Amino acid sequence: MSELVDRGGQEVVGVSRIEGPILVIENAGNLGYDEVVEVIDSTGHMRRGRILEVSEKMAVIQIFSGTTGLSIDGTKVRITGSTLKIPVAEEMLGRVFDGLGTPIDGGPVPLTNHFADINGQPINPTSRVYPRDYIQTGISVIDGMNSLVMGQKLPLFSGAGLPHDQLAAQIVRQATLGAPAGESAKHAEDFAIVFAAMGVKHDVANYFKNSFAESGALARVAMFLNLADDPPVERLITPRAALTLAEYLAFEKGMHVLVVLTDMTNYCEALRQISNIRGEVPSRKGYPGYLYSDLASMYERTGRVKTSKGSITQIPILTMPNDDITHPVPDLTGYITEGQIVLGRTLYQHGIYPPISILPSLSRLMKDGIGEGQTREDHPHLMAQLYAAYAHVQDVRSLASVIGEEELGEVDQQYLAFGKAFEGKYISQSFTENRNIEQTLNIGWDLLGLLPKEELTRVSLAEIDKYYKGM
Amino acid sequence: MSERIGTVKWINGPVIRAEGSRQVGMMELVEVGEEHLIGEVIGLNGDIITIQVYEETSGMHPGAPVFGTGLPLSVELGPGLLRSIFDGIQRPLPIIEMRTGSFISRGVHLTPLYRKDRWEFTPVMKEGTVVTGGEVIGTVPETPSIEHRVMIPPDISGTVTWVAPAKSYTIVEPIARVKTADGEKELTMLQRWPIRRLRPYKTRLDQSIPLITGQRVLDTFFPLGKGGAAAIPGGFGAGKTVTQHSIAKYADAQVVIYIGCGERGNEMTEVLQEFPELIDPRSGHPLMERTVLIANTSNMPVAAREASVYTGITIAEYYRDMGYHVALMADSTSRWAEALREVSGRLEEMPAEEGYPAYLAARLAEFYERAGYVRTLSGEEGSVSIIGAVSPPGGDFSEPVTQHTKRFIRCFWALDKSLASARHFPSINWLDSYSEYLDDVAPWWHKATDQNWIGMRNKAMELLSEESRLSQIVKLVGPDALPDEQRLVLETSRLLREGFLQQNAMDTIDAYSTVQKQIGMLALMLYFHDRAHDIIKMGATISVIHKLPVVDTLIRMKTQIPNDKLSMIDEIHEAINAQMTQLEADYK
Ligand SMILES: Nc1ncnc2c1ncn2[C@@H]1O[C@H](COP(=O)(O)OP(=O)(O)OP(=O)(O)O)[C@@H](O)[C@H]1O
Ligand SMILES: [Mg+2]
């Protein structure tokens, strides 16, 4: 430890190469891997960077705000002897920060002596509490078919131009701790919201800001903004800074925190850029082989732990390049998160909001968050039945497109009617409509009434007796 | 034990290079920096030592010291393994929690097995016995489910000069002494074994006994032999983990090793919270009593992820050597392969396919070859079965890890995204999957059930592949264009898919089927088919068949018939018979 302190403040010179956001310096023997350095240009202006690789003879430094204006001669590197840390405090709620966690709302720097490493530390699996409490979002497709659970990481997979921002804003606005159908939540507690923007446009950031303001949530929101015209390298820090604050609020202050990260695709592109400049061996589409581990180091900072009553729920948003779900960014995200909500262009073109594609969407933690005592006893089977029926609708539709609707058998015709009604009444709801869980479940049964009883093999006979409304 | 052997020169994530002693051995365990972070030597070139470090290297700087241990990276073996959860290099996670709280800090040095617990040791060997490695010296009731057999280490032979009397001992107290060619050796219950070296056995035996998993599509359609190796490839959300969890719960293995390799923290927590509560249907004791968990989740250091599968397989072999049947699950082997790739990339090795190092196939082969049904050194039979999840990018099976894995396994359980989207679980595609153990295990099934299992299984597969052919036609012309005989194939296949292949892991009755229930259900569906076929030949239409009440019964029976009420199968058989006989009367 003492050695770290000793090195702090030392300065080294000898820049040998500058390329993109990367600076290579010689004779760097005293720098530590992953540490922060202060880089001072010939005019005395300071910017910060981080060590990516270091040997006795050289160090590779990634400069957060870019290398514009840096020269080979005249640039000095000052050692801090510490990895990147940000201040964390409850007072940061209601505030706006840049991508590195510095206030940009004109307010003062948070007054605290609590600094936390932005990389955090892995949660010990034995210390976790398995998430089981569902969050009612008031959106049927989510609550009924893909429930969100407190402590879950559930991303939105979207595409350019689709209304993922509205959907995220609606979720954040309507989210409350769930209660069994017909009851109201025992303790209504507001979520603290940590919002991180990576490379999104100004209007997107403003949209969220306004939406938080309208719902009166602004005082509970901390915003970390790295916008489209901000330095891309900073983006690699932004979500980590946001999650560092979220961890503090959740696990030290016992709050329930919703974290919205947008847009993860921009984050990944920044990572790819750095990797390519460094000449690393790429895996798919030029992304580095460690993209999975890198994403996991953020997504896994979600959940609940035994020592705190708080929780972190993550809703990362990403746009799928070309709407391609097999693209490395959605693909690796799906491999880490606990499900995904997928937005679909076809539904959107049919004017359906929220345009959530049911079949590829999934919530893995749903099974323990729903059913008797949590939502209603019929919920698990009802959702499986709706899934099976709607999956069959797709087959019938493609058959109808070949042989014509009139040629379909009676049951298949009923499936078509079910499909249409499902999209119109279940999936579709307005941006301001907030349905409680009972409403959502009942709409489901109304729709199943369009199908003959014999088709409903996923629900039990007792459930059919109790809820089925068909002939 | 550790002396300074070198000085750090270069740091790049988990890989560092140091300059120093030429005495250091490949794969030697070393400690790096003032915090003594654990690492392993993975390359030597002159006096440059390349090390992969099993902990975060943030803040480390050139000039930091490297210490040698003279030992290879090893696991500790002995009583106390069962019921434990370790990280990838066998550090006990609950003790780390006691030391550093809910978050794992680095530089924590802990022994894997707790030294102070006392274990009831009963000797089974007399003084004066001439012994070789693997022979059992004494036993310890490690958990209510498993008797731990303390063995002479594989590389020791000689004459037993002393055995401790029956009493409780800690794992570091002597329990025997053996006079060997190089002097007298004192043995304790605690032994070590290098994780990258396979433990010896006498011979390999055939894999003719199936590992019964209670999962119908696996046991009946694509069985795995005990001592065999299977892969479950599938895109995200296809059902790899749920299937592996189900196998860990219900497989008729005596010991289960579950490795969470680069996957989610919550999934390990789920096992940790569930297994102590769940009762093993065979032993009657909580599942945790037979389980060892290894958790190196995706956010834990990547090099330790690479080690985790070796840590797991070495522990598996150890219980095999006691004469147990062990099932090992690795979720996911792709994350392990990626860890290899990441380390290889930082070493700037020449990549082969998709950035993976050229030795990927060799590593996979080495790992899967450690599965086997063997005659142990002490003459017992024991086995290690490996079930590896594979996570192909984009769900595309043509990628290197899936392709190479296929060469070393004999059972391929292909998960299918479109089945998973339609919530057909387990989403194992019956046309793309295969088992090369069918003929090996057929005699076992015939003996266990007294029925023509392979014949029935093949008949059902025939129906399903006929269905797939017919549904191509249906897609073009609709089902009505098919003759009723073919529509019956579609109807029976629907029964097979929904009533047999689909199995809900969350349903208390459906989650696990005994072999008797499996074969009983299958027989009913085929019986239904045969009877219906005859009646259609007599002129009945498919819609008459479809409306029979027993169709619904057949689809629902998986959740209606508990494993201990198989008499219900006979009742359904009767119902089919009655309803069909009545129909027959109409068409005579
Ligand atoms: N046998 C089953 N019964 C019921 N549901 C299942 C079954 N298998 C899978 N599922 C459902 O599918 C979801 C995803 O399964 P699982 O977590 O096993 O996927 P995976 O293949 O391991 O994905 P990943 O690669 O991302 O880890 C589960 O959360 C569950 O909802
Ligand atoms: Mg999984």
Side-chain angles (χ1 to χ4, degrees):
Chain A
M1 240 13 215
S2 60
E3 198 168 336
L4 295 183
V5 176
D6 287 344
R7 290 186 298 121
Q10 284 181 36
E11 283 183 3
V12 260
V13 286
V15 174
S16 66
R17 190 157 69 89
I18 300 175
E19 190 181 347
I22 299 281
L23 182 136
V24 179
I25 147 167
E26 283 170 354
N27 300 322
N30 259 337
L31 294 172
Y33 173 72
D34 199 33
E35 280 177 0
V36 176
V37 290
E38 294 173 352
V39 178
I40 298 128
D41 65 20
S42 48
T43 66
H45 184 76
M46 192 272 279
R47 53 188 107 188
R48 286 193 290 173
R50 185 163 67 148
I51 313 283
L52 297 180
E53 177 181 338
V54 59
S55 73
E56 272 190 330
K57 298 191 187 67
M58 63 95 201
V60 179
I61 303 172
Q62 158 194 306
I63 310 289
F64 299 136
S65 55
T67 47
T68 314
L70 288 183
S71 52
I72 299 276
D73 287 337
T75 300
K76 281 184 292 198
V77 175
R78 189 185 295 146
I79 303 176
T80 66
S82 155
T83 52
L84 190 55
K85 296 196 164 82
I86 62 157
V88 286
E90 232 173 301
E91 293 73 47
M92 289 169 77
L93 290 173
R95 301 287 311 273
V96 184
F97 306 90
D98 71 3
L100 296 177
T102 314
I104 49 170
D105 54 1
V109 173
L111 199 61
T112 173
N113 47 19
H114 201 121
F115 284 77
D117 188 316
I118 59 146
N119 290 315
Q121 286 177 324
I123 301 180
N124 190 324
T126 52
S127 310
R128 284 183 183 268
V129 175
Y130 193 73
R132 293 177 193 279
D133 302 315
Y134 87 99
I135 295 173
Q136 182 177 299
T137 65
I139 298 164
S140 291
V141 192
I142 298 181
D143 296 351
M145 313 277 286
N146 291 291
S147 316
L148 174 64
V149 172
M150 196 144 30
Q152 181 173 19
K153 38 192 180 291
L154 189 64
L156 303 185
F157 285 10
S158 187
L162 295 180
H164 42 266
D165 295 331
Q166 285 89 313
L167 181 59
Q170 187 175 7
I171 295 173
V172 170
R173 172 161 43 82
Q174 298 183 170
T176 56
L177 191 55
E183 296 174 28
S184 52
K186 279 180 271 330
H187 35 249
E189 187 183 342
D190 287 332
F191 287 91
I193 297 151
V194 174
F195 176 87
M198 285 86 69
V200 302
K201 293 207 257 332
H202 283 265
D203 32 334
V204 171
N206 281 337
Y207 174 79
F208 277 100
K209 204 186 283 178
N210 294 338
S211 147
F212 296 143
E214 275 163 32
S215 58
L218 214 45
R220 287 183 280 117
V221 184
M223 300 184 89
F224 292 78
L225 304 180
N226 165 281
L227 300 178
D229 52 359
D230 287 332
V233 181
E234 228 178 75
R235 259 162 236 175
L236 301 177
I237 304 302
T238 312
R240 294 187 165 84
L243 286 163
T244 304
L245 175 63
E247 274 173 354
Y248 172 79
L249 297 174
F251 303 138
E252 290 186 39
K253 294 288 153 193
M255 298 170 136
H256 291 304
V257 186
L258 268 181
V259 179
V260 177
L261 308 173
T262 186
D263 175 332
M264 291 308 290
T265 306
N266 295 337
Y267 170 90
C268 294
E269 271 165 18
L271 194 72
R272 172 168 69 178
Q273 187 197 351
I274 299 284
S275 171
N276 292 358
I277 290 174
R278 297 184 61 201
E280 291 174 337
V281 179
S283 61
R284 284 172 71 217
K285 291 206 163 62
Y287 289 93
Y290 50 79
L291 181 59
Y292 174 85
S293 302
D294 188 274
L295 287 172
S297 73
M298 294 177 289
Y299 294 147
E300 277 289 318
R301 294 171 79 174
T302 313
R304 310 190 70 161
V305 297
K306 287 185 227 159
T307 47
S308 164
K309 66 180 187 56
S311 65
I312 296 181
T313 308
Q314 262 197 52
I315 306 180
I317 302 173
L318 59 88
T319 46
M320 300 182 278
N322 255 326
D323 291 353
D324 176 10
I325 197 168
T326 68
H327 181 279
V329 175
D331 191 51
L332 295 179
T333 297
Y335 270 123
I336 303 163
T337 53
E338 285 143 349
Q340 65 279 338
I341 303 287
V342 183
L343 272 59
R345 206 164 288 281
T346 326
L347 287 173
Y348 181 63
Q349 284 158 351
H350 284 90
I352 293 168
Y353 175 89
I356 296 177
S357 279
I358 300 289
L359 298 182
S361 297
L362 168 73
S363 164
R364 295 162 198 255
L365 299 189
M366 177 173 196
K367 61 181 168 45
D368 294 292
I370 64 165
E372 184 144 26
Q374 278 148 310
T375 53
R376 203 168 73 187
E377 87 290 353
D378 56 313
H379 191 169
H381 288 163
L382 172 61
M383 121 150 150
Q385 183 64 67
L386 288 171
Y387 257 106
Y390 190 64
H392 189 63
V393 168
Q394 312 304 317
D395 295 340
V396 177
R397 279 181 183 166
S398 58
L399 181 59
S401 70
V402 178
I403 63 172
E405 260 182 48
E406 326 71 53
E407 295 297 314
L408 294 175
E410 190 191 337
V411 175
D412 281 351
Q413 302 261 13
Q414 289 168 321
Y415 269 103
L416 277 192
F418 166 82
K420 199 150 176 256
F422 184 76
E423 286 165 2
K425 300 197 174 119
Y426 193 94
I427 302 185
S428 191
Q429 69 184 82
S430 85
F431 176 66
T432 50
E433 186 177 358
N434 190 350
R435 295 183 191 153
N436 66 34
I437 187 70
E438 195 173 18
Q439 287 168 324
T440 290
L441 295 173
N442 291 346
I443 299 173
W445 279 106
D446 287 345
L447 296 171
L448 288 182
L450 297 171
L451 296 173
K453 226 187 276 187
E454 303 79 65
E455 290 294 311
L456 309 184
T457 56
R458 301 289 181 107
V459 287
S460 73
L461 295 173
E463 287 157 354
I464 290 186
D465 277 348
K466 192 163 170 193
Y467 297 107
Y468 181 66
K469 300 192 179 117
M471 301 136 300
Chain B
M1 150 174 119
S2 54
E3 65 175 294
R4 182 160 178 160
I5 54 152
T7 304
V8 172
K9 294 282 152 179
W10 173 82
I11 306 145
N12 184 356
V15 182
I16 67 162
R17 289 213 169 94
E19 195 175 74
S21 159
R22 287 164 174 258
Q23 311 297 310
V24 185
M26 266 302 265
M27 300 306 163
E28 180 174 330
L29 184 69
V30 293
E31 294 172 2
V32 186
E34 287 86 7
E35 289 176 279
H36 287 255
L37 305 184
I38 299 166
E40 187 184 11
V41 176
I42 55 170
L44 292 169
N45 183 2
D47 43 18
I48 298 294
I49 309 162
T50 306
I51 298 165
Q52 66 176 348
V53 183
Y54 293 120
E55 301 181 73
E56 271 310 319
T57 51
S58 289
M60 186 177 295
H61 53 91
V66 177
F67 306 93
T69 65
L71 298 169
L73 183 61
S74 301
V75 284
E76 286 193 358
L77 302 167
L81 287 168
L82 295 171
R83 285 188 292 227
S84 294
I85 176 164
F86 301 107
D87 75 359
I89 50 171
Q90 214 199 2
R91 280 180 302 192
L93 288 169
I95 315 279
I96 295 187
E97 184 186 25
M98 279 157 46
R99 289 278 182 87
T100 72
S102 303
F103 296 86
I104 302 176
S105 316
R106 62 184 185 181
V108 184
H109 285 259
L110 291 167
T111 54
L113 293 177
Y114 192 56
R115 298 290 191 265
K116 295 201 174 121
D117 282 339
R118 304 189 75 82
W119 301 92
E120 267 327 304
F121 173 82
T122 309
V124 296
M125 189 174 272
K126 288 207 180 64
E127 283 152 25
T129 318
V130 177
V131 291
T132 53
E135 286 181 52
V136 178
I137 317 163
T139 63
V140 167
E142 185 178 358
T143 71
S145 313
I146 295 293
E147 173 190 83
H148 194 106
R149 296 168 189 151
V150 182
M151 296 170 289
I152 305 275
D155 42 12
I156 286 187
S157 58
T159 310
V160 176
T161 53
W162 173 77
V163 182
K167 200 165 79 82
S168 70
Y169 301 91
T170 69
I171 54 170
V172 287
E173 285 172 323
I175 41 100
R177 277 192 290 274
V178 180
K179 194 158 159 255
T180 72
D182 13 291
E184 191 165 58
K185 298 245 154 97
E186 196 166 76
L187 304 182
T188 61
M189 288 190 262
L190 172 69
Q191 302 177 3
R192 287 194 181 76
W193 191 263
I195 61 170
R196 299 188 195 274
R197 213 170 103 205
L198 63 96
R199 285 176 63 87
Y201 46 81
K202 250 195 205 123
T203 46
R204 279 184 182 262
L205 303 172
D206 290 342
Q207 293 145 355
S208 56
I209 305 173
L211 180 80
I212 296 300
T213 65
Q215 310 304 302
R216 292 184 295 266
V217 60
L218 305 184
D219 296 346
T220 297
F221 283 89
F222 306 106
L224 170 64
K226 281 204 172 88
I232 320 182
F236 62 81
K240 297 178 292 296
T241 304
V242 173
T243 307
Q244 298 242 36
H245 280 191
S246 293
I247 299 173
K249 286 177 195 165
Y250 304 114
D252 65 344
Q254 288 151 309
V255 172
V256 168
I257 315 288
Y258 194 98
I259 311 170
C261 174
E263 292 289 312
R264 302 172 184 85
N266 276 332
E267 289 172 350
M268 297 313 291
T269 310
E270 187 181 9
V271 174
L272 265 181
Q273 296 184 351
E274 217 178 18
F275 277 35
E277 312 285 321
L278 283 175
I279 301 298
D280 175 359
R282 290 180 192 82
S283 73
H285 298 295
L287 279 172
M288 204 61 203
E289 314 274 327
R290 67 165 194 181
T291 309
V292 183
L293 298 177
I294 301 188
N296 214 93
T297 55
S298 55
N299 54 339
M300 284 157 74
V302 69
R305 188 196 298 170
E306 194 271 329
S308 67
V309 299
Y310 297 101
T311 298
I313 193 90
T314 309
I315 297 174
E317 287 174 339
Y318 177 65
Y319 281 95
R320 172 203 69 190
D321 292 346
M322 294 179 204
Y324 289 119
H325 294 294
V326 183
L328 175 138
M329 273 121 260
D331 185 10
S332 160
T333 60
S334 294
R335 305 303 165 218
W336 163 53
E338 285 166 11
L340 280 182
R341 174 170 71 184
E342 183 167 340
V343 170
S344 162
R346 300 212 190 233
L347 290 171
E348 297 178 2
E349 289 174 340
M350 194 61 168
E353 305 147 279
E354 296 189 18
Y356 286 104
Y359 47 78
L360 171 68
R363 293 288 170 86
L364 284 167
E366 270 164 33
F367 172 64
Y368 283 107
E369 277 303 295
R370 288 175 80 167
Y373 195 114
V374 305
R375 170 92 47 219
T376 65
L377 293 180
S378 63
E380 304 280 328
E381 287 183 17
S383 69
V384 172
S385 313
I386 298 183
I387 298 147
V390 184
S391 315
D396 174 2
F397 292 175
S398 67
E399 58 91 38
V401 180
T402 316
Q403 284 307 314
H404 288 305
T405 300
K406 261 185 141 167
R407 297 162 50 195
F408 312 119
I409 48 109
R410 291 177 60 206
C411 206
F412 190 71
W413 297 326
L415 299 183
D416 182 327
K417 191 100 217 178
S418 58
L419 289 175
S421 320
R423 292 339 190 227
H424 171 117
F425 288 121
S427 70
I428 292 169
N429 184 306
W430 48 94
L431 300 174
D432 298 343
S433 301
Y434 61 80
S435 163
E436 293 175 10
Y437 298 98
L438 281 171
D439 295 333
D440 302 346
V441 303
W444 182 93
W445 270 90
H446 294 170
K447 223 162 116 200
T449 63
D450 213 12
Q451 299 204 56
N452 179 13
W453 166 74
I454 190 92
M456 288 159 62
R457 182 256 174 214
N458 289 345
K459 170 82 192 159
M461 269 308 283
E462 238 170 75
L463 285 167
L464 289 166
S465 44
E466 177 70 358
E467 180 203 32
S468 135
R469 194 181 65 83
L470 292 175
S471 47
Q472 297 306 317
I473 305 177
V474 170
K475 273 193 193 130
L476 297 175
V477 293
D480 293 345
L482 296 181
D484 280 345
E485 231 170 285
Q486 294 189 334
R487 295 190 65 184
L488 176 65
V489 172
L490 298 182
E491 181 72 2
T492 309
S493 299
R494 182 176 74 95
L495 291 183
L496 285 168
R497 280 189 286 107
E498 293 184 18
F500 192 90
L501 297 175
Q502 284 182 15
Q503 188 167 1
N504 185 350
M506 283 107 208
D507 183 282
T508 40
I509 292 182
D510 197 23
Y512 161 69
S513 292
T514 59
V515 290
Q516 281 75 20
K517 180 173 168 183
Q518 296 189 29
I519 202 144
M521 285 174 61
L522 188 63
L524 284 179
M525 293 185 172
L526 295 175
Y527 177 61
F528 167 88
H529 182 78
D530 290 342
R531 291 294 300 267
H533 187 82
D534 291 346
I535 295 174
I536 283 182
K537 280 234 154 115
M538 292 161 76
T541 61
I542 188 70
S543 60
V544 180
I545 304 285
H546 181 73
K547 290 209 179 87
L548 288 176
V550 76
V551 171
D552 198 53
T553 315
L554 287 172
I555 286 192
R556 291 179 188 277
M557 67 182 166
K558 57 181 185 179
T559 58
Q560 302 298 317
I561 307 178
N563 285 315
D564 55 5
K565 288 226 179 61
L566 296 186
S567 58
M568 290 170 75
I569 288 185
D570 300 332
E571 291 162 22
I572 298 175
H573 189 91
E574 234 351 274
I576 298 175
N577 183 29
Q579 291 173 27
M580 293 289 184
T581 309
Q582 202 181 357
L583 257 190
E584 264 167 8
D586 296 346
Y587 289 92
K588 269 226 170 90

